[in-house]
């Protein structure tokens, strides 16, 4: 699995102070995307055990509410990458329990299947739907256009 960067503390991508893991790659190509620089699958660096240690150190801070997965689109990946992401979420849940996990995706939740659905269902909150420039609304918390939803996923982790 590759990643672009880790930002912390991040107050723009979910409730509370968060750690955001930016994952490269997205083929939605939404016109007006404000993360266009993250769309390439050929950028970023390998996620290693050292990266994991940094992530856990940051997530362990008492003022950090949780992890946000953004990009690109964390779900617009190969099955191998999605399996790695699923394993990462599972490990984080074990190593820093009580932290929430948010996921941003351009897919609509009800249309997810396979590993995409498994990864989404492992998260507490999914912000779904493509960015639609004609529905852009900068007053909306944690999303860019009116069609996007903040979905609280039932606890079944």
């Amino acid at each position: 699995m590759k990643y672009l960067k880790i930002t912390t503390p991040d107050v723009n991508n979910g409730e509370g102070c968060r750690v955001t893991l930016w994952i490269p790659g997205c083929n939605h190509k939404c016109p007006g995307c404000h993360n266009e620089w993250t769309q390439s699958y050929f950028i970023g660096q390998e996620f290693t055990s050292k990266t994991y240690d940094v992530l856990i150190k940051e997530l362990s801070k008492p003022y950090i509410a949780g992890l946000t997965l953004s990009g690109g689109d964390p779900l617009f990946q190969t099955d191998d990458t999605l399996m790695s992401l699923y394993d990462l979420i599972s490990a984080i849940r074990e190593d820093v329990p009580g932290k929430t996990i948010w996921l941003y995706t351009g897919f609509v939740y009800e249309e997810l299947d396979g590993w995409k659905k498994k990864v989404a269902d492992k998260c507490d909150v999914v912000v779904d739907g493509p960015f639609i420039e004609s529905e852009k609304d900068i007053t909306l918390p944690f999303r860019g256009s009116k069609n996007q939803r903040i979905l609280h996923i039932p606890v079944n982790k």
Side-chain angles (χ1 to χ4, degrees):
M1 182 176 95
K2 291 170 85 174
Y3 77 104
L4 295 167
K5 64 180 179 174
I6 296 170
T7 53
T8 185
D10 184 343
V11 296
N12 297 315
N13 293 297
E15 293 176 344
C17 289
R18 309 190 66 74
V19 176
T20 300
L21 178 65
W22 299 85
I23 299 171
C26 180
N27 279 330
H28 294 296
K29 307 291 188 212
C30 302
C33 174
H34 77 270
N35 286 348
E36 190 172 343
W37 69 275
T38 67
Q39 292 176 358
S40 174
Y41 290 93
F42 302 107
I43 58 176
Q45 53 198 317
E46 285 301 313
F47 190 94
T48 66
S49 60
K50 286 185 179 184
T51 313
Y52 184 77
D53 292 343
V54 168
L55 206 55
I56 294 302
K57 179 181 177 188
E58 292 301 318
L59 285 167
S60 296
K61 293 177 179 175
Y63 62 87
I64 295 294
L67 174 69
T68 297
L69 302 168
S70 191
D73 187 333
L75 297 185
F76 218 136
Q77 309 294 323
T78 65
D79 279 352
D80 285 344
T81 298
L82 290 168
M83 287 188 296
S84 294
L85 191 54
Y86 182 90
D87 290 344
L88 173 65
I89 294 167
S90 298
I92 287 170
R93 289 210 176 277
E94 186 172 314
D95 290 343
V96 282
K99 303 292 181 168
T100 60
I101 299 177
W102 283 50
L103 169 74
Y104 280 83
T105 183
F107 291 104
V108 174
Y109 179 79
E110 290 80 8
E111 297 172 1
L112 297 176
D113 62 7
W115 279 105
K116 289 177 178 65
K117 176 93 165 101
K118 289 178 184 179
V119 169
D121 285 348
K122 196 80 171 159
C123 298
D124 298 288
V125 176
V126 174
V127 181
D128 80 335
F131 173 75
I132 298 176
E133 198 165 21
S134 64
E135 295 187 33
K136 180 178 179 178
D137 184 345
I138 61 169
T139 67
L140 296 171
F142 310 124
R143 55 201 193 279
S145 59
K146 293 176 186 174
N147 65 297
Q148 295 173 317
R149 304 175 298 171
I150 298 174
L151 304 172
H152 295 270
I153 307 303
V155 178
N156 189 11
K157 313 299 180 224

